[in-house]
Amino acid sequence: MSEAVAIPAPAMKLSSGKLWIVPPAALLALLFFYPLALIARQAFLDDSGVTNVAEVIRVLHSRFFLNALINTVSISVAATAGCLVVGLVLALILAFVPVPGSGFIARLIDTFIALPTFLVTLAFTFLYGSAGMLNAGLMETFSLPLPPVDFLYSAWGVILAEVTVYTPFILRPLLAAFSLVDRGQIEAASVLGARPFRIVRQVILPAAIPALIAGGSLCLLLTVNEFGIVLFIGAKGVITLPLLIYGKAIQESAYQVACIIAVVNIALSLGLFGLYRFAAGRLGA
């Protein structure tokens, strides 16, 4: 009898322990799911509360949305590719080339993660802007009437700024992956006469592929949602999805249009986040 009475006690303890999930779940619902539900509701309902699918179709087929989607995808893909190339080269140099102060250089590059994106854009304006140091020096040296360097206020300026800001997100996982590479294999390949490029291709890169996938998918996610760099550079004709949402909501007060575009942007971001988590899981992060 005593044993029969004592059996439900652990069940009661387990049941009461499950209640601890309620506060974080309520907070998550209030701060995350409720705003998302409001955005989705505003996207499919007009001001009178009637479902307006025709407006959704019109926005998704509009030229301004398609141009913004193309700009967002092309800029993010190009910036991610640049981050992968620059991050891989830097990681190879810092990890395998005996450079004095390589640890300090790696930590210095990491500081870009802590900087607001507009500071990098501001520095680029001072360096490469129409009245920046580079154009001023070239105009004075060669007596040029107009600034010869004008790439900053274009998609290439946005891409360069994003590569500068987000390369550390590639560099960090690569350095962690390279620290696990067996140096004995590299020395053995070198003794057998393998050239450095072949060693990199056959020994080092296979260990770096998961890190490249994880870092690249994270960069793709971040660049798709980048707002500050695009806004601060003010590139003519370069309108991305976040900038279009801002313009429709704040400047034109077209809230339903802004919410429709926001739903697309959220779906794109969640898909890329799923890709990042899958890649990070394969990496073991």
Side-chain angles (χ1 to χ4, degrees):
M1 290 291 294
S2 61
E3 292 181 358
V5 174
I7 289 175
M12 289 182 59
K13 179 184 268 189
L14 183 62
S15 177
S16 62
K18 291 181 180 179
L19 296 177
W20 286 104
I21 195 63
V22 175
L27 186 64
L28 186 64
L30 179 64
L31 299 181
F32 182 73
F33 291 109
Y34 180 65
L36 286 182
L38 289 180
I39 293 174
R41 181 181 183 278
Q42 184 68 29
F44 293 98
L45 300 179
D46 57 18
D47 294 336
S48 60
V50 179
T51 303
N52 192 357
V53 180
E55 179 67 8
V56 177
I57 297 175
R58 185 192 71 82
V59 172
L60 296 182
H61 285 82
S62 63
R63 181 174 296 274
F64 64 82
F65 169 76
L66 294 177
N67 288 339
L69 180 62
I70 292 172
N71 286 336
T72 301
V73 173
S74 58
I75 289 175
S76 61
V77 170
T80 301
C83 290
L84 288 172
V85 173
V86 175
L88 179 60
V89 172
L90 287 175
L92 288 172
I93 294 174
L94 294 175
F96 299 106
V97 178
V99 179
S102 59
F104 172 76
I105 296 173
R107 287 191 294 271
L108 184 63
I109 295 174
D110 281 346
T111 58
F112 278 92
I113 298 176
L115 296 178
T117 56
F118 75 87
L119 287 182
V120 176
T121 311
L122 183 62
F124 276 25
T125 303
F126 287 142
L127 291 174
Y128 310 118
S130 300
M133 296 172 59
L134 180 60
N135 276 317
L138 292 175
M139 292 173 66
E140 183 177 354
T141 302
F142 300 102
S143 301
L144 300 175
L146 296 175
V149 180
D150 60 350
F151 73 91
L152 182 62
Y153 306 108
S154 66
W156 291 110
V158 176
I159 292 170
L160 180 61
E162 291 185 355
V163 169
T164 303
V165 171
Y166 294 116
T167 293
F169 291 93
I170 300 290
L171 185 62
R172 291 172 65 91
L174 278 178
L175 289 177
F178 288 162
S179 66
L180 303 177
V181 174
D182 186 2
R183 303 303 173 105
Q185 294 183 2
I186 299 176
E187 294 175 0
S190 179
V191 170
L192 293 174
R195 295 182 178 275
F197 179 76
R198 186 176 181 183
I199 295 175
V200 171
R201 180 168 55 89
Q202 295 185 350
V203 179
I204 298 176
L205 279 186
I209 289 177
L212 286 173
I213 295 175
S217 56
L218 178 58
C219 282
L220 195 61
L221 172 63
L222 294 174
T223 51
V224 160
N225 294 294
E226 179 55 47
F227 175 75
I229 290 176
V230 184
L231 178 66
F232 202 90
I233 285 182
K236 185 177 180 180
V238 180
I239 304 297
T240 59
L241 289 179
L243 198 62
L244 183 61
I245 295 170
Y246 170 80
K248 292 297 181 181
I250 305 301
Q251 298 176 343
E252 301 180 22
S253 298
Y255 297 114
Q256 184 179 4
V257 176
C259 289
I260 293 171
I261 302 170
V263 169
V264 176
N265 200 7
I266 291 170
L268 182 60
S269 300
L270 290 177
L272 292 174
F273 180 73
L275 175 63
Y276 164 68
R277 291 307 307 167
F278 173 77
R282 291 293 300 271
L283 181 62

